[in-house]
Amino acid sequence: MAIDFPDSVRELVTRLKKLPGVGPRSAERIAVWLINQRSGEAGLLSGALAKVDQAVSLCRRCGFFMDEGACAACAAADRDRTVMCVVAQPTDVLSIERTGQFKGRYHVLGGTLSPLDNVTPEDLNIDELCRRCGEGSDVTEVVLALGSDVEGEATSHYLVERLVRDGLQVTRLAHGLPAGGGIDHADPLTLMRAFTDRRSV
Amino acid sequence: MAIDFPDSVRELVTRLKKLPGVGPRSAERIAVWLINQRSGEAGLLSGALAKVDQAVSLCRRCGFFMDEGACAACAAADRDRTVMCVVAQPTDVLSIERTGQFKGRYHVLGGTLSPLDNVTPEDLNIDELCRRCGEGSDVTEVVLALGSDVEGEATSHYLVERLVRDGLQVTRLAHGLPAGGGIDHADPLTLMRAFTDRRSV
């Protein structure tokens, strides 16, 4: 009979393999690394996971992560209540915060429309977005900060129709050349959009 | 103040970032994935890690993983006791078992000699290897199955000197062209070794 890892190690490798971006090889490598750490890294990671498993949920209002009943995104009092930025994932909030450019509030959809993966408008946090930006709200601009892939574009188009209301402006992020990217590295679609959206200087 | 993840999520991302092959981006992606799973994947992974943290240790004899006091590699009774295969990591045992080629026993060093990383012979499971293959043992051949990188070669050279004894043959894995690899894809060192070790057909 072939020699194999103990059951507990095999179970760990199986679980690690499911993580996005972790293949069978990486899973084994991570498991061995965790076991070899004398600082008890496996126990610490186990504890961090258990805590997240128990304490973290999605805010029913804005869709961001909520810890022990309080949503930091909703609680932030110093944000501009007239601008709402719509993103697909909670991580997108952090990416935008890092730019330091945006001072308004966020709304996390929890994904983008994708008929192939059976993601319909009902699966996303869209009704609540319409409520937050609807009549009687302070919101005057909704910024759609979704990806420029097919799903992101489809979701943006759908939201433009849903959000239409007097006095509400719907904008989307600019498309064009990425920072530091030369003309020769840009694909034709990016270059086409950069041309279409050109600005006078 | 910028909006950030809840403390528990940030702690999880910090821990995940430490794993080999997991960068800041992947760590965030994995954390978000774990929180979004409705099947409670975070809790299951936490449990698997806690179990490994408590139950798994390295066998003091062969260096393989041991679960609850029993080492599967040492306990295997149907293995050829005259051949000992020396590997660097426990995962290497599985790689060799998958070939179905080797029927002897294993000895895991727990790494390779690396002066740059302060890994000296005392840090590796070498004394026990000498004891297992020494006078009075059944071992007639030691196969050095270490990598062909600088550390692996240095470790092999060191072990050849340490293991010298009447009636004990020390061999190493063949160097040459990898399966499916053409001449044009082989680097000069590989090609040189394939020439040196050529066999009559």
Side-chain angles (χ1 to χ4, degrees), chain B residues 25-88:
Chain B
R25 284 287 175 114
S26 322
E28 280 187 2
R29 206 170 133 225
I30 292 172
V32 169
W33 183 87
L34 281 167
I35 294 167
N36 282 338
Q37 294 306 300
R38 278 163 204 168
S39 50
E41 203 58 43
L44 291 169
L45 180 56
S46 169
L49 278 161
K51 205 167 169 194
V52 163
D53 188 44
Q54 285 151 23
V56 175
S57 57
L58 295 180
C59 172
R60 295 172 68 101
R61 196 152 176 263
C62 73
F64 194 62
F65 292 141
M66 207 166 80
D67 195 356
E68 284 150 10
C71 173
C74 286
D78 56 341
R79 314 287 298 201
D80 183 351
R81 298 180 64 84
T82 64
V83 198
M84 178 78 76
C85 180
V86 178
V87 295

Side-chain angles (χ1 to χ4, degrees), chain A residues 64-131:
Chain A
F64 194 61
F65 292 141
M66 208 167 78
D67 194 356
E68 284 150 9
C71 172
C74 286
D78 56 343
R79 313 287 297 201
D80 183 351
R81 299 180 64 84
T82 63
V83 197
M84 178 79 75
C85 179
V86 178
V87 295
Q89 297 295 346
T91 38
D92 299 334
V93 172
L94 266 67
S95 301
I96 294 174
E97 284 296 286
R98 274 181 209 125
T99 68
Q101 199 60 226
F102 181 69
K103 299 294 175 203
R105 292 181 301 161
Y106 290 96
H107 189 88
V108 183
L109 295 178
T112 43
L113 294 176
S114 172
L116 285 177
D117 301 320
N118 277 323
V119 181
T120 62
E122 287 73 47
D123 298 316
L124 303 179
N125 191 14
I126 292 179
D127 288 342
E128 184 63 20
L129 171 66
C130 295
R131 208 192 54 72

